[in-house]
Amino acid sequence: MTDEKTKERWNLPLGPLALIALPGCEGLVNSVDSYLASWRRNRPLEVSGYQKDSYLVGVSLPRFGSGEAKGMIQEPIRGDDLYIVVDVCNYNVEYSMYGETNPMSPDEHFQNLKRVIAAAAGKAKRINVIMPFLYESRQHRRAARESLDCAMALQELTSMGVTNIITFDAHDPRVQNAIPMNGFETIMPTYQMVKQMLKTEEMIIDSDHMMVISPDEGAVGRAIYFSNMMGLDMGMFYKRRDYTRIVNGKNPIVAHEFLGSSVEGKDVIIVDDMIASGESVIDVARQIKERRAGRVFVCATFGLFTNGMAKFDQAREARLIDRIYTTNLIYQSPELLSRDYYTSVDMSEYLATLIDNLNHDTGIESLLSPTFKIQKRVMEFKGNQ
């Protein structure tokens, strides 16, 4: 990347690059930082501070005994193009309050984010927030007399001076209508999912041997894109719910009903944005197996696994699920990583590429819709069979 073509491609940076990893996402951001430092070390741009060993900026979020806190940025950031990365799902981060140790909730991670933004206000040239799992994204629309938490959070961030908000696989992308005059990107990790699957599995990719399944009506768009990219047929389940009761904040599912052609003898890919408790995806896998499907692969952007791994272990033993793929965009517990039926999809190089392009004010359309890259990867795989 040191030829004349490279010189023509890269605009001058909008400002010196600075990365902040909030508590709980240090591993991911360290990997992103390594990619950026390596690439820029070999890039012939004569800009002060462009080539560095690290772009990380230290922050401190000390708490008082009452549990109250403050945010402190420990290095100069004046004029920097600042990228703050936060994992609101990391329950492994703890804090002390009145002598008790408490795991951090999404609310507390979001509050930490606002503290750091407030500390950077008026100093950084531009503030960008990378929030892979969009805070309160499941509370994206009003179905009764209830709050609109996600929209309110987005408006709060932009009112504090955030220019761009980058998220992945938002539960409902239409929530960006809450901030129509600000930058908001929701990115699908389809290419990375397909790439990892093709590395891991031995498959025959055609409609006679494989099928993509949407576990509910909300995931249909994801499944359609996934199936189109791989040249496969698609089926879907829809959830029949009991709207007379609320259990754990939602109406319980009575049954999953299937719409689509026969899955008999076919490998099936279940595509969704997240795995929470896992009850839904396991029930879908069970029904697919009852229809005599072959192997069952689950691809979800976020693996929350809120009720632990026991149910998935049982599903694996019952041969309902063959492999689960989720990204490393949020916290992955040692318990999850130890499972032989689980494969992590690394997103750090992609995230570094995205930050690099944004810092140079270069177009990211090909990163948002990597259609040709996916199709090329699939065709290469088919050609090697």
Side-chain angles (χ1 to χ4, degrees):
M1 297 193 53
T2 60
D3 56 12
E4 291 299 321
K5 197 171 183 180
T6 302
K7 291 182 182 179
E8 294 174 6
R9 175 187 170 192
W10 294 106
N11 304 326
L12 289 175
L14 186 70
L17 177 62
L19 303 177
I20 289 180
L22 292 188
C25 59
E26 294 90 347
L28 175 64
V29 180
N30 285 338
S31 182
V32 169
D33 182 50
S34 295
Y35 278 114
L36 289 167
S38 174
W39 296 338
R40 294 190 172 201
R41 199 174 295 125
N42 300 309
R43 194 177 291 159
L45 284 181
E46 297 178 2
V47 178
S48 177
Y50 185 75
Q51 296 173 330
K52 299 171 68 174
D53 292 333
S54 175
Y55 301 93
L56 289 171
V57 173
V59 295
S60 176
L61 292 151
R63 287 186 180 265
F64 304 100
S66 61
E68 297 167 294
K70 62 180 177 180
M72 302 171 64
I73 298 176
Q74 298 172 325
E75 301 171 38
I77 58 162
R78 189 172 298 278
D80 287 358
D81 187 18
L82 183 62
Y83 293 81
I84 307 172
V85 186
V86 57
D87 176 8
V88 299
C89 296
N90 195 332
Y91 59 90
N92 194 49
V93 181
E94 298 176 335
Y95 69 96
S96 178
M97 177 176 174
Y98 289 96
E100 299 290 334
T101 300
N102 304 285
M104 286 186 65
S105 70
D107 292 342
E108 286 149 338
H109 283 292
F110 186 69
Q111 195 66 28
N112 272 351
L113 171 64
K114 292 194 295 180
R115 291 181 178 114
V116 172
I117 293 170
K123 285 86 175 175
K125 185 170 186 178
R126 182 174 68 175
I127 299 176
N128 310 271
V129 169
I130 298 177
M131 186 187 296
F133 186 96
L134 185 61
Y135 174 70
E136 290 289 356
S137 58
R138 284 190 282 184
Q139 188 51 32
H140 60 285
R141 62 187 174 88
R142 181 173 283 153
R145 190 176 294 120
E146 56 190 20
S147 59
L148 287 171
D149 294 54
C150 189
M152 291 172 61
L154 294 176
Q155 291 178 353
E156 191 170 9
L157 292 179
T158 55
S159 70
M160 294 181 72
V162 174
T163 302
N164 294 312
I165 298 172
I166 311 295
T167 190
F168 285 79
D169 205 350
H171 196 63
D172 188 340
R174 290 174 295 183
V175 74
Q176 66 187 290
N177 292 335
I179 50 168
M181 302 303 291
N182 295 86
F184 180 96
E185 301 291 350
T186 176
I187 302 164
M188 302 294 293
T190 309
Y191 172 68
Q192 288 77 17
M193 283 284 182
V194 171
K195 180 180 175 181
Q196 187 61 59
M197 281 194 71
L198 298 183
K199 281 184 178 180
T200 308
E201 312 295 344
E202 293 184 3
M203 304 180 294
I204 300 176
I205 304 178
D206 61 42
S207 294
D208 294 328
H209 297 89
M210 293 193 75
M211 190 172 182
V212 175
I213 297 290
S214 170
D216 55 39
E217 58 275 21
V220 168
R222 298 177 186 89
I224 288 174
Y225 184 73
F226 206 102
S227 61
N228 284 343
M229 290 302 96
M230 297 190 74
L232 303 175
D233 291 337
M234 192 207 82
M236 69 163 287
F237 283 83
Y238 70 90
K239 298 173 182 176
R240 283 199 293 117
R241 294 182 180 271
D242 181 356
Y243 288 99
T244 64
R245 298 186 297 134
I246 295 179
V247 179
N248 294 328
K250 58 187 178 181
N251 302 107
I253 298 169
V254 176
H256 286 93
E257 305 291 349
F258 182 66
L259 300 174
S261 58
S262 172
V263 299
E264 185 173 354
K266 297 179 182 179
D267 291 339
V268 170
I269 305 172
I270 302 174
V271 180
D272 209 352
D273 61 335
M274 72 179 76
I275 299 172
S277 66
E279 292 180 3
S280 178
V281 73
I282 290 173
D283 186 46
V284 167
R286 180 179 293 108
Q287 293 204 43
I288 289 171
K289 282 292 189 178
E290 289 173 355
R291 290 171 169 80
R292 299 182 180 180
R295 295 176 296 174
V296 174
F297 306 112
V298 180
C299 292
T301 304
F302 304 108
L304 304 179
F305 302 100
T306 55
N307 290 348
M309 301 303 300
K311 289 183 179 179
F312 291 93
D313 292 341
Q314 293 168 8
R316 175 67 174 132
E317 290 174 8
R319 303 183 68 83
L320 299 180
I321 293 174
D322 289 85
R323 186 162 294 278
I324 297 173
Y325 294 86
T326 70
T327 70
N328 65 337
L329 290 168
I330 63 171
Y331 172 68
Q332 298 166 298
S333 68
E335 182 185 21
L336 170 63
L337 294 172
S338 68
R339 296 311 194 260
D340 60 359
Y341 56 85
Y342 173 73
T343 297
S344 175
V345 178
D346 184 18
M347 297 294 295
S348 55
E349 184 176 6
Y350 176 87
L351 201 52
T353 305
L354 184 67
I355 291 172
D356 202 25
N357 282 32
L358 288 172
N359 180 235
H360 283 277
D361 209 17
T362 302
I364 60 171
E365 289 78 11
S366 61
L367 296 175
L368 300 179
S369 302
T371 302
F372 296 111
K373 288 179 68 176
I374 298 172
Q375 292 178 338
K376 180 182 177 182
R377 180 74 64 165
V378 171
M379 292 303 295
E380 287 175 352
F381 181 84
K382 288 181 176 180
N384 292 329
Q385 288 180 330

